[in-house]
Amino acid sequence: MRTIHVLTALLLAAASATGADTDSPKLAGELPEVKELPNPFAFADGSAVRTKEDWARRREELKNLFQDYEYGHLPPKPQKMTVHRAEPVTDKDNGVTIQDLEVKLEQGDKALTMHLRVVLPQDAKDPAPVIVQSRFSFGRPAPAGAPSGKPYSVFTRRGYAVAECDFQEFAPDNKDKARTGGAYQLFGDKIDCGGLMAWAWGVSRTIDALETVDKIDAKKVIVTGHSRYGKAALLAGAFDERIALTVPSHSGCAGAAPYRFIYG
């Protein structure tokens, strides 16, 4: 049930297709015009969502709407994942241990390597809840030299670990090159998603890798991001039930804001 608010926010942002047959979706131009905000707790046929089991079925309807009409379909989990771990680095000044992971994803004869920085509070006695976010690299390499825990200390001093990925590795943030790398490198024309769904897919692959880190509590995953990265965080939270809390920042239209009505 914890994905209910995330899917509701996405529903209010999306163009309504409540009359669509999700087994054979209609073309967008054939859908009826719906001027009011759609009810997330009503099935496509108009019947009400009343039970937990009803919500599970309605959730699938909503996911199909988003995939068919807005974001494209979530790519599958790759066939193989291999995690290579760098030696941990201790930053005593900021009270953290930093470890970089190189994660190789394989699908048939195709491979993709993603990089993940895991920052752990040194004084944690139990596996730590983790905040997943992307760094704003825009294709630039990580800074040279010893890593610092200072950028993460706002979280780590409160007992949270941080896992920082790079959305650029999942789909380049460039309209002319968006489908030349990342998820498209693995799956080619077998997938139809745009960059936002590819980034959400990357969050799920990040969680896969975090499940191999014994100092991380993978049942307490938080995902966040700002602006279009906030859109991706919201989408990841809707599609991956391992995410306990979704915290988008200024995600705007196609994120948490509705298309139909703009207030303020």
Side-chain angles (χ1 to χ4, degrees):
M1 293 291 283
R2 63 191 175 199
T3 57
I4 194 168
H5 300 297
V6 178
L7 280 167
T8 300
L10 282 173
L11 176 67
L12 298 182
S16 178
T18 54
D21 177 355
T22 55
D23 291 329
S24 180
K26 296 179 180 179
L27 296 175
E30 297 175 357
L31 298 173
E33 181 179 3
V34 179
K35 294 184 178 180
E36 68 276 6
L37 292 177
N39 181 1
F41 302 110
F43 286 103
D45 63 6
S47 60
V49 174
R50 300 186 184 279
T51 66
K52 181 179 179 180
E53 291 70 28
D54 282 350
W55 171 249
R57 291 190 296 113
R58 176 56 174 157
R59 182 174 183 272
E60 291 306 309
E61 279 193 346
L62 294 177
K63 286 169 62 179
N64 286 334
L65 290 176
F66 297 130
Q67 291 181 102
D68 289 339
Y69 292 103
E70 186 160 4
Y71 301 106
H73 294 79
L74 181 69
K77 183 176 180 178
Q79 294 167 337
K80 184 179 179 181
M81 178 186 76
T82 307
V83 180
H84 299 281
R85 308 172 196 279
E87 285 298 315
V89 175
T90 299
D91 180 349
K92 292 183 179 179
D93 291 340
N94 292 290
V96 299
T97 299
I98 302 169
Q99 186 174 40
D100 289 338
L101 308 182
E102 184 178 274
V103 183
K104 184 178 181 181
L105 306 174
E106 297 177 78
Q107 181 74 18
D109 61 353
K110 303 292 180 61
L112 169 67
T113 299
M114 55 179 275
H115 299 85
L116 182 61
R117 173 159 290 176
V118 179
V119 185
L120 296 159
Q122 271 188 307
D123 58 356
K125 295 179 175 60
D126 299 307
V130 60
I131 296 169
V132 175
Q133 64 181 19
S134 173
R135 68 186 185 93
F136 276 90
S137 69
F138 298 106
R140 298 187 298 270
S148 170
K150 187 174 182 180
Y152 315 101
S153 60
V154 66
F155 303 122
T156 56
R157 66 172 179 254
R158 292 172 168 83
Y160 295 93
V162 178
E164 192 170 71
C165 58
D166 188 346
F167 282 177
Q168 301 294 319
E169 295 184 334
F170 310 138
D173 192 4
N174 181 308
K175 66 182 180 65
D176 297 319
K177 299 179 180 179
R179 301 195 179 202
T180 61
Y184 312 99
Q185 182 176 320
L186 280 182
F187 299 104
D189 59 7
K190 294 179 180 179
I191 58 174
D192 64 0
C193 67
L196 288 177
M197 186 64 90
W199 291 348
W201 171 86
V203 171
S204 292
R205 305 290 71 80
T206 297
I207 298 171
D208 292 343
L210 291 174
E211 288 178 333
T212 72
V213 180
D214 57 9
K215 294 184 178 180
I216 292 290
D217 187 346
K219 295 185 184 301
K220 296 179 180 177
V221 176
I222 302 161
V223 62
T224 189
H226 178 72
S227 191
R228 55 186 175 273
Y229 287 4
K231 294 174 172 65
L234 192 63
L235 197 54
F239 278 79
D240 194 326
E241 293 192 71
R242 295 174 297 177
I243 296 171
L245 187 63
T246 304
V247 190
S249 166
H250 294 270
S251 58
C253 282
Y259 279 129
R260 287 178 180 75
F261 305 104
I262 299 176
Y263 300 102

